[in-house]
Amino acid sequence: MRLASKILLYLLSIGVAGYAVVAYTAFPIGSLVHPDMLRSFQAHRIEVYVHIFTSALALLLGPLQFSQALRARKPALHRWLGRAYLGLGVLPGGLAGLLIARNAYGGMLSTLGFAALAIAWLYSGLRAYLAIRQRDIGTHRRWMIRNFALTLAAVTLRCYLPLSMLTAIPFERAYPVIAWLCWVPNLLIAERWLHSRGKQAPA
């Protein structure tokens, strides 16, 4: 990964994670979301808080897992950060996201989009964990790349939301599309990147 791409990745991850933490600690829950989403956020505040803060942790730790210098110089720290990323970030964040998806704004299409994201996030994290337990470093890395591409849905979601407001498309129509658009292209890009390096995972 080029230096400029790394810097951008860190800035976006830290920026969105920081925004989420500030938005959900300094302001009442749901105060910064669309008014039609406020009631759902307030009714499921525990799931929302768990999802926001654990996902923010995953965003902060994720880029560090791809640092070659960290893996080479401090492998023990790399392993502990990986455990925190998967165990304290992806696992609770994915489970809470799955619960939140049941009441996603925008109806069934939004529910299916966010539920599929949560399931894919949990599944790819599990595959990465099982691979490293079997000392299969290559497979572990491929699944971690897929998993972090899904973690970055938090970033792309917050890019698409303001863009959708600049269009003439009503929010209730745009949001169900964003529920898919925030993560499917990320995963496709990750797959293409893996394929271009001859690292396509086995079926």
Side-chain angles (χ1 to χ4, degrees), residues 17-76:
Y19 164 79
V21 171
V22 171
Y24 285 86
T25 54
F27 299 93
I29 189 168
S31 59
L32 299 181
V33 301
H34 192 276
D36 293 339
M37 302 167 67
L38 177 60
R39 183 178 300 176
S40 177
F41 272 55
Q42 291 178 336
H44 305 92
R45 61 179 62 240
I46 294 177
E47 297 97 315
V48 171
Y49 279 130
V50 170
H51 178 68
I52 291 297
F53 292 124
T54 57
S55 298
L57 178 64
L59 266 179
L60 291 173
L61 296 181
L64 297 176
Q65 290 304 101
F66 300 100
S67 170
Q68 295 180 357
L70 181 64
R71 289 199 304 268
R73 297 173 185 173
K74 298 184 178 181

Side-chain angles (χ1 to χ4, degrees), residues 151-176:
T151 301
L152 288 174
V155 174
T156 48
L157 174 71
R158 284 160 181 83
C159 292
Y160 289 130
L161 286 175
L163 288 176
S164 71
M165 296 176 185
L166 297 176
T167 68
I169 303 174
F171 186 71
E172 62 270 17
R173 294 185 181 178
Y175 194 70

Side-chain angles (χ1 to χ4, degrees), residues 133-170:
R133 292 287 294 177
Q134 296 171 357
R135 309 291 184 181
D136 188 346
I137 296 175
T139 299
H140 169 73
R141 287 178 180 172
R142 291 193 291 271
W143 281 107
M144 283 295 290
I145 288 169
R146 295 182 178 107
N147 185 266
F148 190 63
L150 295 170
T151 301
L152 288 174
V155 174
T156 48
L157 174 71
R158 284 160 181 83
C159 292
Y160 289 130
L161 286 175
L163 288 176
S164 71
M165 296 176 185
L166 297 176
T167 68
I169 303 174

